[in-house]
Each structure stands twice: as structure tokens, then as C-alpha cells.
Amino acid sequence: MGAPLTVTVGGERPYPVVIGRDATIALSDHLAGASRAAIVHAAPLAEHARKIARYIDDEVKTTLIEVPDAEAGKGIDVAASCWDRLGREGFTRNDLVIGVGGGAVTDLAGFVAACWLRGVDVVQLPTSLLGMVDAAVGGKTGVNTASGKNLVGAFHPPRAVLCDLSTMDTLPAADRVAGLAEVIKCGYIADTGILDAINDNPDAATDPAAPLLADLVRRAVAVKAEVVAGDLRESGRRAILNYGHTFAHAIEKVENYRWRHGDAVAVGMVYAAALGRLTGRADLVDPLRATLNRVGLPVTYRGGDWGALLAAMRVDKKAVGDTIRFVLLDALARPVIVDDVTPEQMLAAYREVST
Ligand code: GLY
């Protein structure tokens, strides 16, 4: 396998996203100034976290902090227990948090770092495809509360993101496929070459040993990097990264988060494509469905309750007052943010994804 690929995320303090099967090795390049590093990791990644600790032990004093995997770990109580550990270990402003795990763990680790002493650096080592192409890049951090997912958080860009593709070798195939939904999203909103590459070789697109996956991660990260560099705090254009997410978040909420995020995004993109056609924009429904089918992502959501889905869309973070906002595509790679979709059009699009 070739040398790691690097994408730089611009902004006030630019940082690299390193992509490759040995990307973890680059960690020693990003410890400068720290005497201590807390490795916040998901429980199933304990051995991997110990290996990382041994690798940097000569340079920094390491503390391993194990947290529950997935959304269960993204609670304010878990964050508080991490802060207790940092306090006991005497973590100062120059010290470092390292997040190791899927998107939920890197969100939590970033939030812990954002709040400790009002902000210490974090290096993110995402171990899932979703984490690599979305959650760990862009500086959104947060925890879940009784009011909902990700409603409490901070924008806290990392010092570096290291996407070690070998960590995906043991990831269940269904999780790799789900992660591809965010990659396909980047194809639709900006880099259509992503779609050609996946359509030409759908199997290699989820094979962590295939050069194609490294290149897809690089391209998806490049799309995200370009967007967040100009709008870290989502005051405008960053919202295009939420293509497919308005309906996806509603499915996740109605299904009590038992649906994988990527699966919900896949159906959410079909919903947005249907809305696009119904509102007189490009008709992208069939090619999108074909690409999603090719890689094994879902294109329908049956058995839902439209009233509950609509209510969930109204409390989406993008909603403003009573208006539901959607990201639609005027054409391929031409996203627009729209807030004049009628209730009739929303229902008609729902019929298209639910039958
Ligand atoms: N996941 C969307 C964003 O980072 O803005």
C-alpha cells in the first residue's frame, strides 16, 4: 500500500488529516509541547489503545480512559468522569486528549478536550469509516442529553486527525457500508468523481485494504475540509454537509437510534432527491437509488409514522422557528438550502421512500 495521503483543513489553525494503513505512526509528530496524553477509547479498542500508549510512552505520560462504546458513551456523566481523571492526573493546558474510536467516541473526546481548562488540544484517531469521513473532521464535538442528540457541544477543531485504515479490518461489513453513505453524500454535493469511482467498483469501495477506499476517504475529507474551512460554526454553507440528514435524523429519532446513522442518511438522501424533483429541481432519484443499491445501502423506510417523522423534522437543528430546512440539489454538485418546501411536497416525498 502506498504512502499516507494528507488533506489539510484550513481555517484559523489549519490541521492535517492523514489517511493510510499506518496513519497512527504520524501520532508522534503531533505531541509537541504536551507532557501528558489521555487516550479516550471505546471499550472494545482497549488493546489498540494500549498499543498506541506504548508507541508514545517515551514522549508523554499516557493515561488510558475507557468509555462505553457508541452512543452509550456520549453522555455528560461519561464526560464528567473523564474530567475527574484529567484532574487526578494533573492535566495542564499544554496536555493532550487523544480520541480513539468511532464517531461517538471522537465527539466525546473532542468535547472533553474543548471544556477542560476551557480548551486543550485533541488529536482524533477515528476507527470507523463514518468517523474518518465525517465525525472526526471539522471540529464539531458534543454529548447527548435528555433533550436530544448533539444539542450540547462545542466547535473545537483538532490538532490532527489520523485515519488508520487498518483499524477498519475488524469493523463489521455493515458498518463500513453505512459509512459509505457519507462518502456518497460528498459525491452528490461536490465531487461527482466519487460517484463514478463507487459505481465502477462497489466492492472495493468498502475494502480497507483496497487503494480505492483510501482514495474515497481522501476525496470525502477534501470535500468536508473545503466546506468547514470557510464556515466552521455553520453560519451558512456548512449546512450543505447535511444533505439527506433532515429526514435521516427523523428516522433515527423515531427508531430510537436503532438505525445506523449511515443507513438513515442513505434513505434521507433518497427523500431529499425526491423533494428536489417535486420542487422542480434535477431528477436524481434513480441514479442515487442505483448507487445505494450497488453498495448495499437501504433506499426505503417502511412502517414509519408520518406524523412522528414530521414532528421530529421540526426539531432538527437546522429548523428555524416553524420552518423546516432542507438541503436540495439544483443539479449534481449544486446544493442549495431551501425553506419553502410545502407540507404536500414533504408528504409526497415520504410516499416515494416508504413504498
Ligand atoms: N456532520 C456535518 C458537519 O460536520 O457539519
Side-chain angles (χ1 to χ4, degrees):
M1 188 114 205
L5 310 165
T6 300
V7 177
T8 301
V9 184
E12 226 167 78
R13 210 175 59 151
Y15 58 92
V17 181
V18 182
I19 301 147
R21 283 189 69 82
D22 291 323
T24 308
I25 291 173
L27 183 55
S28 55
D29 299 338
H30 301 286
L31 304 172
S35 317
R36 296 174 189 76
I39 302 175
V40 177
H41 66 89
L45 290 166
E47 184 45 41
H48 181 57
R50 275 194 290 274
K51 254 196 238 157
I52 294 169
R54 283 196 294 274
Y55 176 59
I56 57 174
D57 252 349
D58 286 348
E59 293 163 81
V60 285
K61 181 175 181 307
T62 54
T63 300
L64 290 166
I65 304 182
E66 183 173 302
V67 295
D69 202 10
E71 295 300 319
K74 241 179 96 173
I76 195 75
D77 53 328
V78 180
S81 72
C82 294
W83 293 318
D84 284 346
R85 283 291 297 283
L86 299 186
R88 284 204 299 278
E89 301 290 337
F91 262 63
T92 68
R93 271 234 165 86
N94 290 339
D95 294 330
L96 191 67
V97 173
I98 298 173
V100 180
V105 174
T106 55
D107 278 3
L108 171 83
F111 184 69
V112 167
C115 299
W116 182 251
L117 302 179
R118 299 198 177 88
V120 296
D121 279 358
V122 61
V123 176
Q124 300 286 25
L125 274 63
T127 59
S128 68
L129 182 53
L130 196 87
M132 293 178 192
V133 298
D134 193 32
V137 178
K140 279 189 182 173
T141 73
V143 289
N144 302 329
T145 55
S147 315
K149 266 182 79 176
N150 294 324
L151 296 177
V152 174
F155 290 102
H156 188 62
R159 187 186 273 201
V161 182
L162 310 178
C163 303
D164 191 326
L165 301 176
S166 68
T167 60
M168 278 198 280
D169 291 348
T170 51
L171 201 67
D175 288 328
R176 289 201 297 259
V177 168
L180 214 51
E182 295 283 0
V183 179
I184 292 170
K185 175 200 79 180
C186 291
Y188 270 91
I189 62 171
D191 176 2
T192 57
I194 288 177
L195 305 176
D196 299 333
I198 293 176
N199 286 330
D200 288 350
N201 208 342
D203 292 335
T206 54
D207 176 357
L212 177 62
L213 183 56
D215 196 50
L216 288 173
V217 173
R218 177 191 63 79
R219 292 177 89 137
V221 169
V223 169
K224 183 153 189 185
E226 189 276 317
V227 174
V228 300
D231 183 21
L232 172 67
R233 287 172 193 281
E234 199 164 315
S235 34
R237 188 159 175 266
R238 184 168 180 159
I240 67 170
L241 295 171
N242 288 317
Y243 182 59
H245 283 58
T246 308
F247 191 68
H249 287 152
I251 295 177
E252 288 182 279
K253 188 155 189 208
V254 166
E255 291 293 328
N256 280 321
Y257 301 100
R258 285 183 304 255
W259 265 56
R260 285 185 182 81
H261 176 66
D263 290 349
V265 169
V267 179
M269 287 192 289
V270 180
Y271 182 83
L275 269 186
R277 186 180 57 205
L278 288 159
T279 54
R281 297 178 166 84
D283 183 358
L284 302 170
V285 178
D286 288 343
L288 171 61
R289 278 200 181 118
T291 301
L292 297 173
N293 277 327
R294 235 169 244 137
V295 296
L297 280 163
V299 296
T300 50
Y301 172 64
R302 296 201 177 98
D305 167 350
W306 174 239
L309 289 162
L310 191 59
M313 287 200 281
R314 284 197 198 287
V315 294
D316 187 77
K317 283 197 293 310
K318 286 182 300 305
V320 180
D322 279 342
T323 307
I324 302 179
R325 277 207 164 149
F326 292 95
V327 181
L328 302 181
L329 298 176
D330 275 344
L332 261 183
R334 282 190 32 218
V336 280
I337 298 161
V338 170
D339 55 15
D340 59 355
V341 178
T342 65
E344 294 72 28
Q345 289 164 333
M346 287 182 218
L347 178 59
Y350 173 63
R351 293 208 170 105
E352 291 207 26
V353 296
S354 60
T355 51

